Structure formats: structure tokens, C-alpha cells
Amino acid sequence: MVDVQLSDAEKVFILHGVQDNCREDGRGCEDYRHLEIETSVMSNTNGSARVRLANTDILVGVKAELGTPSPEKLNKGRIEFFVDCSANATPEFEGRGGEDLATDISNMLYRAYDCPNCFDLQQLCVIPDQQCWILYVDILLLECGGNLFDATSLAVKAALFNTSIPTVTVTKDEGVVDLEISDDPYDVQRLDMKSSPCIVTLSKVGHSHVVDASQKEECCTLARLIMGVTEKGTITALKKEGSGSLDPTSIEDMMETGRRVGESLNKCLMDALAEEERQGTKKKSLGFLR
């Protein structure tokens, strides 16, 4: 979290607003801020997306490369997450200030996607035991306006949805295996992202909890629950952060809220991505890397 200095009066105002289900910007406790999503923003990648959630700005690019599978997953591909916190996002990221946050985000993404029922790595297998596609997911935090985990997961899912992997033809001649990668831009495979998770962060503010906390609300948060949730409400990862304690009843309530919000968030994201894809070249382009 990025620290913002608040006066005691500001903290009391935020606490009372959350308690009355009317936050400082008029949202309810389970409402997200305005979200903008755009895919295909970088031409030198297999897939890309940019997500802006209020003042939080995330850019994600995906590169697919052929490699060898992991010894423990010989019939599956691999996915690697790399997070970079731009020094322009906040002065706190200057030097090595953002390394801990980058590690926390990448570790949470690994945990959220390490579930056979949410992202099938077998779709990345080319030759069992020998060759597979490795997806390198590069994440750049351009601006920090709160709720980085959720915004990052939305950008990652959108970029992977946008990813096109060239079709590979495997031939064998006298025991020699030959791979031919198609250079036809239309001869590609798309990833099945329908069941992949989004991250939902529940922040405990006073005696209530909220989703999509702003930077000011994060300053009033003593503990938060970070969850990976699929469109069917399956929890793929769970992590508690903060110095404050959470009693079992609060954890149960927060998990139920996270599951409900996660289902809706996944559905809204997939609907928006499908609609953008249907528009094709007619869609309005907002990208800054053209």
C-alpha cells in the first residue's frame, strides 16, 4: 500500500461513511470505482491490455515463447509473472522502493492461477515432456490510486484474453521431431480465460469492510483479505495482510462478500472484453503506445 497522510478528522469521516454504507465518493461498500479497459495497446506482444481504475493505471504485455516444461508438469505449459513499479507512479517507488510490493503482487498472481480448474496449462502444451509455450506476463504499475491487486488481476486477465499464440505443426521424420510455427497472423490459438480468476481485496475499515478501497480508505485499514475468485465463486487463493486481527465471523463475512463480488466482477470483465472484440477495428482506440 502507498501511504497517504490523513488528519484524525478525515479518518473519522471515512470511518463513519463506511459504517453508513456511503463512502466519501458516494459508493456503497461493495461498489467499484469507474473502470476503463483497453486491449491490443502494444503491437510487439502476443497480447496486451491497459486498465485504469480511478487513478490506478496498469499496463500488461504478454509474450509467448517455446520452451521446456517444468519437471513436475511435463504435459503443461508455464506462465511467469513479472511486476515493475514505475518510479513515476509514486515517489515511494524510487530506487528499490517498489520491490516488496512487486513481489507481493506477483506471488499472489502465481497462487491465484495455480489451480487446474481456473487456468488449464495443458492448452499450452506442444509436445508432452519436450516442448510447451511459456507465457511471460510483464506488468507495469504506471500510477497508484489504491487497490493495486484487483486492478492488476483485471489487466492480466484482459491481456491473456487478448493473447494470440501461433499455431504449431509437429511432424516426425525418422524419429526426428520438427516444429513449424505459422507466420499467418490469423492462424493462431486463443486462450480459454472464462474460468480464470480475478483478485478481490476486502479492506476492514472500522467494523465494516469495503471492496476497491481508495488510497485514503487504505490508510484507515488495519487488516485486509485478498482473494482469488473465479466466475463460479471458487476461491483459488487467500491471503491476509495488515497488523490488525480478524475474528472468524469477520473472515467468513468478508469471504462471502469477496465470493459474491468476484463472480460479478469476472462476468462484467468478460462481457466487456467480448463486446470490445465484437467491435473489432471499429472500437475507439485510447492507447498511448500507437
Side-chain angles (χ1 to χ4, degrees):
M1 289 187 291
V2 179
D3 292 331
V4 175
Q5 299 300 320
L6 297 180
S7 66
D8 291 339
E10 288 177 306
K11 291 181 179 179
V12 170
F13 176 76
I14 290 174
L15 288 170
H16 286 177
V18 170
Q19 183 178 335
D20 295 334
N21 196 32
C22 183
R23 298 153 75 175
E24 60 170 347
D25 53 9
R27 289 182 293 152
C29 290
E30 297 185 11
D31 295 334
Y32 274 76
R33 292 167 291 179
H34 179 67
L35 179 70
E36 296 178 0
I37 301 174
E38 185 182 5
T39 58
S40 300
V41 293
M42 292 187 288
S43 59
N44 61 336
T45 62
N46 293 92
S48 59
R50 185 186 183 189
V51 165
R52 188 167 183 88
L53 178 63
N55 292 330
T56 294
D57 202 353
I58 312 288
L59 181 66
V60 176
V62 181
K63 291 289 288 185
E65 295 183 6
L66 286 173
T68 57
S70 302
E72 65 276 10
K73 299 178 180 179
L74 294 174
N75 65 333
K76 297 181 179 180
R78 289 155 48 197
I79 182 168
E80 305 283 349
F81 298 102
F82 301 94
V83 181
D84 182 21
C85 300
S86 170
N88 294 326
T90 171
E92 296 180 32
F93 288 167
E94 291 182 1
R96 303 177 65 178
E99 285 189 359
D100 290 342
L101 176 61
T103 300
D104 289 341
I105 293 176
S106 60
N107 287 343
M108 189 62 193
L109 288 169
Y110 277 118
R111 293 176 58 187
Y113 275 82
D114 188 21
C115 177
N117 296 325
C118 71
F119 186 78
D120 186 11
L121 291 173
Q122 288 187 355
Q123 62 185 313
L124 301 177
C125 181
V126 178
I127 304 176
D129 304 347
Q130 298 181 37
Q131 289 287 316
C132 70
W133 285 108
I134 304 174
L135 301 181
Y136 294 98
V137 183
D138 293 307
I139 303 158
L140 178 61
L141 307 186
L142 297 170
E143 189 175 352
C144 299
N147 199 19
L148 294 175
F149 283 85
D150 296 24
T152 300
S153 75
L154 292 169
V156 167
K157 185 168 182 174
L160 289 172
F161 175 87
N162 180 244
T163 297
S164 298
I165 300 177
T167 299
V168 178
T169 304
V170 181
T171 58
K172 291 184 179 181
D173 185 13
E174 297 182 355
V176 178
V177 178
D178 184 42
L179 300 180
E180 182 179 349
I181 302 177
S182 174
D183 56 3
D184 184 348
Y186 296 100
D187 187 16
V188 295
Q189 297 177 339
R190 301 290 297 275
L191 300 174
D192 182 6
M193 298 301 300
K194 186 176 182 180
S195 299
S196 61
C198 288
I199 293 177
V200 179
T201 302
L202 290 304
S203 301
K204 188 77 171 180
V205 180
H207 297 292
S208 303
H209 55 266
V210 300
V211 301
D212 186 24
S214 65
Q215 283 184 299
K216 290 183 178 180
E217 290 170 336
E218 287 180 347
C219 291
C220 302
T221 299
L222 291 178
R224 60 180 182 172
L225 211 59
I226 305 174
M227 307 168 53
V229 185
T230 69
E231 65 163 8
K232 294 184 178 180
T234 302
I235 298 175
T236 64
L238 186 65
K239 178 184 179 183
K240 185 263 182 186
E241 283 191 346
S243 58
S245 61
L246 294 174
D247 60 86
T249 302
S250 294
I251 293 176
E252 185 177 344
D253 290 343
M254 293 170 76
M255 289 179 64
E256 183 57 36
T257 299
R259 183 182 289 109
R260 181 172 60 252
V261 171
E263 291 178 3
S264 176
L265 189 62
N266 275 286
K267 184 179 185 305
C268 290
L269 175 62
M270 293 303 295
D271 289 346
L273 293 174
E275 176 59 28
E276 185 190 42
E277 190 170 52
R278 278 194 294 269
Q279 293 177 6
T281 56
K282 297 180 179 179
K283 72 176 183 178
K284 184 180 180 180
S285 178
L286 303 174
F288 59 99
L289 297 176
R290 300 289 180 181

